[in-house]
Amino acid sequence: MARKKMDTMTEQMFYVLLALRGERHGYAVMQYILELTEGRVTVGAGTLYALLDRFERDGLIRQTRIEEKRKYYRLTGEGDRALRDECRRIMQQAADMERVLREEGRP
Amino acid sequence: MREKKRRKLFWFDTIDYRAAEAWLNEQAAHGWELEGIWPGPVAVFNPARRRDLQYAVAVDPTGGKGEREEAYLQLMEDAGWHKVERKPGIYIFASVPGVNPAPLQTDPELEQKQFYQYLRRGWIASLVILIIVATLLAAYFFVVPAAERTPLFSFESLLEDNLVVSALALPLLLIYLVLSGASHLRYWRAGKRAIAAGSELPATSRRAAQARQIIAAVAAVLCVGGWIMGFVQTARRESVTFQDGLEAVAQAAETAPVLRAEDLGKDGWKPLSLDRTPGILLDRVSYSELADRTLITERFECRAAGLARWFAEDMVRAGVTVDVGGYYRPSIFPMEAVELGFEQSWICIGEGWSQILLREGNVVAVVNGPLDLSDPALPDILRERLQLH
């Protein structure tokens, strides 16, 4: 069955997928993102619930277990590919920016 | 000492979830903590025991059952939001003491999509019902000939107070649906503008929410009121029947505005029943006597002459004859307008019987039985006995 392609990844989506490279439950994902970004990126609990639901339907993550009413998730192979594609896109954007700045003679 | 409580009407539909959140936070700022929302709907508040109280209201993404709801609520709890109340379509959360939780929604576009996903389920169900109703109505109009269709409102609708009161709820429900639809459209457009500007989704108008809830509440009261009025009308009905004794019925009929066989110079008729039924829009008197045929009187004193005119003309349109017990049956014999000295009058001639329908001012009267329509004294007898002045 064809999976829906993630055509526009927001920053919050990116960090949620990044957090699920390891098995985590919802709140742990929120905490991980806050810590990783030093408070720069906040994902609200309602937004996170919607994202997890969507990622699971799109096959980017899978539920691994339920413990004390908390659902644990982990990235799937397809999710890992989507994340790496996005990372490459971001790095390419950064590289393009650096090149433009060098050409302009700015650091 | 008993804690004082505050009760306020909870005006908000699902679409008003952001307005509800703002309102609850206003109550919290004034020192009131939500205890719950009771049927009404009435929000009950207690004095707040802390100052760091915050509220968040979310559109229900779970359908309110099972494992999905459990996991959702656990996530909210972990994030510092404790469930206080659930109403159809929304959850109300209060911040956990000592915690300053992040807002529930940090992605306006996703929030709006989530909201409309929830609504879509309701819209699809409503659309299916609408299609079924429209198909049935269309089939009715195409299959049933115009002359045989039952109108939405007929003279018989006015006889039952429960129908009269309940019918008032219909236009209110339509207005509620239109206002709801307009609110949805306005909110969707405002949401799109907010997302394009990178800002939070707006709240709906509190005044619009109040207007919708008032209309819905009045419609509900009318529906319940109609049901109650049915019982009240039955309780107020006065009946004397042959089971109370023929003499009792005859005595009651003497002063009642009804036609008796003795008024027509006929003897040996037995009075069957006399009923007086007061109503909101008209007061009804029904009387019947029996010999080899029946003689039936139905008199309706309407609240206004215009109503009486409509009532009489609808009876003619329906082409009915009255039967014992106040039942109306379609007749194969047509009603024809005649001049009898009343504001409006019609006759219908059957086999061995005839029916006269009269209107004078705000009174409509129907008499059915062995009437001698050629008797020149008949109109005066009818005017006198039926009190048509």
Side-chain angles (χ1 to χ4, degrees):
Chain A
M1 183 174 72
R3 300 282 188 192
K4 185 180 165 185
K5 197 177 169 188
M6 184 70 63
D7 45 4
T8 318
M9 195 179 291
T10 65
E11 188 173 44
Q12 291 179 86
M13 291 176 180
F14 176 81
Y15 278 106
V16 169
L17 289 176
L18 187 60
L20 290 175
R21 286 182 60 80
E23 185 194 55
R24 288 186 170 86
H25 60 71
Y27 184 60
V29 168
M30 289 172 67
Q31 294 288 89
Y32 179 83
I33 293 170
L34 262 180
E35 209 178 292
L36 181 69
T37 62
E38 294 174 352
R40 186 179 61 82
V41 178
T42 306
V43 182
T47 299
L48 178 62
Y49 183 86
L51 287 176
L52 292 174
D53 199 42
R54 180 179 167 180
F55 289 157
E56 195 178 11
R57 272 188 284 116
D58 290 347
L60 301 181
I61 64 174
R62 63 181 172 84
Q63 189 184 307
T64 53
R65 59 191 167 102
I66 301 176
E67 211 170 275
E68 294 177 348
K69 299 180 192 172
R70 294 182 181 88
K71 289 186 179 180
Y72 287 73
Y73 298 91
R74 181 188 276 283
L75 217 53
T76 61
E78 189 160 335
D80 186 53
R81 272 189 296 278
L83 189 60
R84 286 177 190 278
D85 286 346
E86 182 64 12
C87 185
R88 267 192 291 274
R89 192 185 67 79
I90 292 168
M91 286 170 70
Q92 186 60 56
Q93 280 181 302
D96 290 341
M97 175 72 177
E98 271 190 44
R99 194 172 71 245
V100 166
L101 288 176
R102 264 199 312 274
E103 285 168 5
E104 288 173 355
R106 293 175 201 168
Chain B
M1 189 174 73
R2 205 172 154 190
E3 235 178 19
K4 60 173 179 174
K5 290 183 192 286
R6 175 185 273 195
R7 290 170 180 78
K8 285 177 166 264
L9 286 173
F10 189 77
W11 302 103
F12 309 99
D13 279 334
T14 305
I15 190 176
D16 307 307
Y17 72 101
R18 279 190 158 262
E21 182 177 301
W23 182 75
L24 286 168
N25 281 318
E26 270 173 33
Q27 307 308 310
H30 286 112
W32 294 98
E33 183 172 355
L34 181 69
E35 179 187 291
I37 298 176
W38 310 124
V42 175
V44 179
F45 294 90
N46 293 314
R49 278 163 285 203
R50 55 187 171 113
R51 291 194 179 170
D52 65 343
L53 178 61
Q54 298 174 60
Y55 287 101
V57 180
V59 173
D60 178 5
T62 69
K65 36 183 183 253
E67 194 186 86
R68 275 175 65 90
E69 189 192 26
E70 276 182 0
Y72 175 73
L73 294 178
Q74 185 60 56
L75 175 59
M76 297 300 127
E77 190 80 36
D78 288 344
W81 292 107
H82 173 72
K83 184 196 103 177
V84 174
E85 183 65 81
R86 183 179 177 274
K87 278 183 89 279
I90 59 169
Y91 283 103
I92 298 175
F93 297 98
S95 55
V96 169
V99 175
N100 182 21
L104 281 185
Q105 302 290 345
T106 48
D107 185 336
E109 196 168 353
L110 189 62
E111 183 185 347
Q112 196 183 46
K113 270 190 194 153
Q114 202 176 8
F115 175 65
Y116 279 102
Q117 254 169 15
Y118 165 81
L119 285 187
R120 210 174 295 147
R121 285 197 292 270
W123 286 346
I124 288 170
S126 301
L127 197 63
V128 166
I129 292 169
L130 205 65
I131 289 171
I132 292 172
V133 169
T135 307
L136 289 173
L137 279 174
Y140 176 75
F141 277 99
F142 278 114
V143 168
V144 178
E148 291 173 33
R149 290 179 206 145
T150 307
L152 194 58
F153 290 107
S154 69
F155 72 94
E156 285 179 289
S157 312
L158 304 189
L159 302 179
E160 308 289 339
D161 281 353
N162 60 340
L163 289 179
V164 168
V165 174
S166 299
L168 296 172
L170 262 179
L172 287 177
L173 287 172
L174 283 172
I175 292 170
Y176 174 84
L177 286 173
V178 167
L179 288 179
S180 266
S183 289
H184 279 92
L185 188 62
R186 258 199 313 270
Y187 184 68
W188 177 73
R189 288 163 73 176
K192 285 280 181 198
R193 280 197 296 271
I195 289 163
S199 50
E200 270 191 11
L201 288 186
T204 51
S205 155
R206 202 177 288 185
R207 202 170 278 181
Q210 285 175 351
R212 275 186 271 114
Q213 287 299 321
I214 287 171
I215 289 169
V218 171
V221 165
L222 286 172
C223 286
V224 171
W227 180 72
I228 292 171
M229 288 309 295
F231 288 107
V232 169
Q233 189 178 38
T234 304
R236 292 178 67 198
R237 183 172 294 143
E238 294 171 4
S239 287
V240 185
T241 73
F242 64 89
Q243 290 168 328
D244 300 310
L246 299 179
E247 194 52 46
V249 184
Q251 206 170 10
E254 216 171 313
T255 52
V258 296
L259 188 70
R260 303 163 301 174
E262 73 178 75
D263 300 319
L264 302 172
K266 299 179 191 299
D267 296 320
W269 285 66
K270 293 192 175 17
L272 289 180
S273 66
L274 175 71
D275 292 297
R276 292 180 187 266
T277 309
I280 292 171
L281 293 179
L282 53 86
D283 295 329
R284 181 184 189 182
V285 179
S286 306
Y287 179 68
S288 56
E289 288 186 357
L290 179 69
D292 54 341
R293 290 196 165 274
T294 52
L295 177 64
I296 302 166
T297 305
E298 288 267 301
R299 184 181 183 278
F300 306 95
E301 190 161 332
C302 301
R303 296 293 166 252
L307 182 63
R309 172 186 280 274
W310 179 85
F311 190 91
E313 290 174 356
D314 197 63
M315 287 187 87
V316 173
R317 178 208 55 75
V320 294
T321 55
V322 66
D323 209 342
V324 175
Y327 297 107
Y328 290 87
R329 292 182 296 146
S331 172
I332 58 171
F333 303 102
M335 295 281 283
E336 291 172 9
V338 293
E339 180 52 60
L340 291 175
F342 299 94
E343 283 184 49
Q344 288 178 292
S345 48
W346 298 265
I347 61 171
C348 170
I349 301 173
E351 292 167 1
W353 60 269
S354 50
Q355 176 166 290
I356 295 179
L357 170 60
L358 307 168
R359 183 188 73 81
E360 186 76 6
N362 65 326
V363 178
V364 176
V366 183
V367 180
N368 183 304
L371 306 171
D372 181 2
L373 298 177
S374 63
D375 182 354
L378 183 60
D380 288 335
I381 294 169
L382 291 171
R383 187 178 291 280
E384 190 59 39
R385 281 298 305 163
L386 300 177
Q387 297 174 20
L388 300 173
H389 303 297

